[in-house]
Amino acid sequence: MVGVVTETRLDRDDAPRLTGPGIRQSMSGLHTWAGLLLGWVLYAMFLTGTVSYFKDELSQWTRPELPHQVAVPDRAAVAQRVADELTRTVPGSPQWSMRLPDARNNSVYAFWRAAPQAAGRRGFGEGRFDPATGRQVAARDTLGGDFFYRFHFQFHYMSVFWGRLLAGAAAMFMLVAILSGVITHKKIFVDFFTFRWGKGQRSWLDAHNALSVFGLPFHLMITYTGLVTLMAMYVPWGEQAAIKTPAERQELSAQLSAFIQPGKPSGEAAPLASVADMVRQAQQRWGRDNVAQVTVTHAGDAAARVAVARGEAGRVSMSPQYMEFEGATGRLVDAHEGVGAAAETRGVLYALHLGRFGDIVTRWLYFLVSGAGTAMVGTGLVLWTVKRRRHLADPDRPHFGFYIVERLNIAAIAGLSVAMTVFLWANRLLPLGLAGRADWEIHAFFAAWGLTLLHAVLRPARKAWVEQLWAACALLALLPVVSAVTTQRPLWQSLYAGDWVFAGIELMLWALAALHAVLAIRTARHRPAMRSARRPVRDPARRAALGEAGA
């Protein structure tokens, strides 16, 4: 009679097990499928989220008409200029808000509600204003870096609700994959210091392990805090049970944002008091460079209110702090600088996710570790196909499931690099007066992404990988040249003027082009080692243990 062994020393991919799966084996299956089923969505979320740590700089690059900002202007004077312009251009607006310029933003972004229409419906408007004049600037219509930021957590061509729901589901799968991965790899910290080049599946597993351990605390933090930022949407029942009246909902809204809600106008005309003086009071309280936003309700009415919000720099919390003033008199009504414990906890976790509290060094650390997380997801997706390709009966004619995963991997990883770069090409090449220009940039992004999937389906897998990586390399490398031809901001001029926003973006494009070139070269040179799905076991003792010999 054959004895039952609990573990053998054979290759775990080849040796059948005669006992039930243990906890690590169960977690391994969970890790594999949790990472695969929404892995393509997670890769897109990680990559666009990584880019979003420099979304303000990228937004400046996509609007070359805006001049280089040598120094941050006086925020109080800027607020007054733009307030005067908005009072003149959007009269009757129940609410408008402006984000003041800072070291990362060289224009004023304003958002307003249009006056109520006859049908009782309200429209919304937005624009960018010149800090020096207060007038709306004639920059090209684009979402810039905000497109990647919004895509990161709500995607596109679907409602915001369903987009954020999909992002939440992907984040839950990511959390499960991280925890099950830690349990599965019992030597994960040892493997962090082991990397073997040119070993096929072993190399991909080494890379996946190293990237996972390198940023493990960050990956756990960024995944969990991403869920917390939209927790009221994912699990709304507690909030619905606790908050039932409109007054309670308004109080919660005030706790979570600095947008004061417009009440009813008095109907009595009264000019808006000096917004500059209100901003200066806030500067005295929080510091000259730490005032971020001004919101005004019912400007020109005696019931007007003004909220001046504190900036995020140096404060590890996104819970709002703002000073509220009477709009007609400029008298300070209240200073909102504290929220409940639960709201403050959410604010801290939200701030950790966005990383806006830190300086340029902190943002680079976020960028690098988040980039490692992107590579972790990508190597995990590739590992799935590398591991299973060795066992295919005919690698040139894989079964349908393998074929789909492999092609989706190519388009989701290499194809996304192509699509994101095409978005930036569209920003430079589309006519400035094109109607819906910002939407056409986004259409170009998705059209390019769709074409990479078609290309991956039509070409052999390895050739598709190489060709798309080279395409991304060429697009990235040539983009600064296209920018120099189509704008008045060539790289050499930016370097001479000390404009490190423009110069930094374009130098980074070349660095990313070099990275894609390296990946393309290594992929072209790689020759996978094939072997049969079942390898004969030569040791008689092991054969007996596995039931391949008599007792």
Side-chain angles (χ1 to χ4, degrees):
M1 183 174 181
V2 179
V4 177
V5 294
T6 58
E7 183 174 1
T8 71
R9 302 302 296 174
L10 296 175
D11 189 323
R12 294 176 183 177
D13 294 333
D14 300 327
R17 292 188 176 275
L18 303 180
T19 59
I23 181 65
R24 289 181 55 244
Q25 287 70 37
S26 299
M27 289 296 103
S28 177
L30 180 61
H31 177 78
T32 298
W33 291 105
L36 178 68
L37 292 177
L38 284 177
W40 305 289
V41 176
L42 281 168
Y43 183 85
M45 289 173 64
F46 255 91
L47 184 56
T48 53
T50 300
V51 171
S52 296
Y53 287 120
F54 289 98
K55 74 178 183 68
D56 292 337
E57 290 79 4
L58 189 58
S59 292
Q60 285 193 51
W61 186 86
T62 56
R63 297 182 178 92
E65 296 81 9
L66 300 181
H68 166 46
Q69 179 176 264
V70 178
V72 179
D74 178 16
R75 289 179 173 86
V78 171
Q80 187 63 60
R81 293 187 196 108
V82 178
D84 292 342
E85 181 70 7
L86 288 171
T87 301
R88 182 181 67 84
T89 56
V90 289
S93 171
Q95 182 186 58
W96 45 259
S97 178
M98 69 178 84
R99 185 188 67 189
L100 298 176
D102 54 31
R104 302 180 63 197
N105 293 281
N106 59 348
S107 63
V108 178
Y109 170 76
F111 172 88
W112 60 86
R113 296 183 181 181
Q117 304 299 317
R121 303 182 67 180
R122 289 176 178 172
F124 299 89
E126 61 181 350
R128 290 185 178 272
F129 295 79
D130 185 348
T133 65
R135 300 297 178 88
Q136 192 163 353
V137 295
R140 63 189 63 196
D141 182 20
T142 179
L143 285 180
D146 286 319
F147 167 67
F148 298 124
Y149 171 69
R150 296 178 189 180
F151 183 89
H152 161 67
F153 64 94
Q154 64 190 33
F155 307 106
H156 200 72
Y157 296 137
M158 64 176 69
S159 70
V160 170
F161 173 81
W162 287 108
R164 294 183 178 187
L165 202 63
L166 176 59
M172 284 297 300
F173 272 68
M174 181 67 182
L175 196 60
V176 169
I178 291 173
L179 296 175
S180 58
V182 171
I183 296 172
T184 299
H185 298 95
K186 63 180 181 180
K187 295 182 179 180
I188 189 169
F189 290 101
V190 174
D191 290 342
F192 174 64
F193 298 98
T194 304
F195 187 80
R196 284 151 283 195
W197 288 98
K199 299 295 183 181
Q201 176 187 333
R202 183 70 255 177
S203 297
W204 283 107
L205 183 58
D206 286 348
H208 185 66
N209 288 343
L211 291 165
S212 301
V213 179
F214 172 71
L216 181 59
F218 177 87
H219 302 152
L220 279 169
M221 179 276 290
I222 211 71
T223 305
Y224 179 73
T225 54
L227 288 166
V228 169
T229 59
L230 298 173
M231 63 182 181
M233 175 183 169
Y234 301 141
V235 283
W237 305 283
E239 179 183 313
Q240 292 171 356
I243 301 172
K244 300 178 180 179
T245 67
E248 289 173 334
R249 285 194 293 270
Q250 185 170 344
E251 181 180 355
L252 176 66
S253 177
Q255 281 196 344
L256 297 181
S257 75
F259 284 95
I260 54 176
Q261 298 300 314
K264 293 183 178 180
S266 67
E268 179 184 350
L272 192 64
S274 173
V275 174
D277 289 343
M278 301 179 207
V279 172
R280 290 190 183 100
Q281 290 187 51
Q283 288 175 322
Q284 291 175 0
R285 192 181 193 96
W286 297 319
R288 177 183 177 277
D289 297 327
N290 208 13
V291 175
Q293 183 173 292
V294 176
T295 302
V296 179
T297 64
H298 299 300
D301 188 89
R305 287 288 186 272
V306 179
V308 181
R310 184 178 179 179
E312 299 160 353
R315 191 166 59 98
V316 191
S317 175
M318 289 290 289
S319 58
Q321 295 185 12
Y322 62 96
M323 297 170 65
E324 186 176 354
F325 300 87
E326 285 185 351
T329 65
R331 183 180 67 86
L332 178 63
V333 176
D334 196 5
H336 300 264
E337 294 184 305
V339 295
E344 186 64 33
T345 300
R346 174 190 178 274
V348 171
L349 294 175
Y350 194 9
L352 286 173
H353 187 82
L354 295 178
R356 296 178 185 171
F357 57 87
D359 56 10
I360 184 67
V361 175
T362 304
R363 286 199 303 279
W364 269 111
L365 287 173
Y366 265 73
F367 179 86
L368 293 173
V369 183
S370 184
T374 306
M376 173 191 69
V377 177
T379 53
L381 290 170
V382 173
L383 180 61
W384 192 94
T385 57
V386 170
K387 184 176 181 180
R388 285 157 180 78
R389 176 175 287 279
R390 302 182 310 159
H391 303 292
L392 294 174
D394 184 357
D396 295 327
R397 294 181 180 180
H399 58 79
F400 183 72
F402 182 92
Y403 180 89
I404 290 297
V405 171
E406 188 171 49
R407 266 52 186 181
L408 286 174
N409 279 354
I410 297 168
I413 298 173
L416 183 56
S417 294
V418 172
M420 292 175 70
T421 313
V422 166
F423 174 87
L424 300 179
W425 273 68
N427 175 265
R428 289 300 191 251
L429 296 180
L430 288 176
L432 298 183
L434 178 66
R437 189 180 188 280
D439 291 331
W440 280 107
E441 290 181 359
I442 298 171
H443 298 333
F445 167 87
F446 283 101
W449 205 3
L451 287 174
T452 62
L453 178 58
L454 179 62
H455 173 266
V457 170
L458 297 177
R459 297 288 287 163
R462 190 164 66 88
K463 290 184 178 180
W465 273 113
V466 173
E467 290 164 1
Q468 291 197 23
L469 288 170
W470 275 123
C473 171
L475 290 168
L476 287 162
L478 291 174
L479 185 53
V481 179
V482 172
S483 182
V485 173
T486 57
T487 73
Q488 302 299 316
R489 308 282 286 273
L491 175 58
W492 57 87
Q493 181 177 315
S494 299
L495 290 169
Y496 179 77
D499 185 357
W500 291 108
V501 170
F502 261 69
I505 293 291
E506 297 189 350
L507 291 173
M508 177 56 70
L509 291 173
W510 280 345
L512 293 173
L515 174 62
H516 283 79
V518 170
L519 293 174
I521 292 170
R522 292 198 62 83
T523 304
R525 291 177 176 176
H526 177 66
R527 294 293 183 272
M530 305 303 300
R531 66 178 184 179
S532 60
R534 296 296 299 272
R535 184 169 58 190
V537 181
R538 302 184 183 280
D539 189 335
R542 292 185 181 179
R543 291 177 57 193
L546 292 172
E548 296 180 0

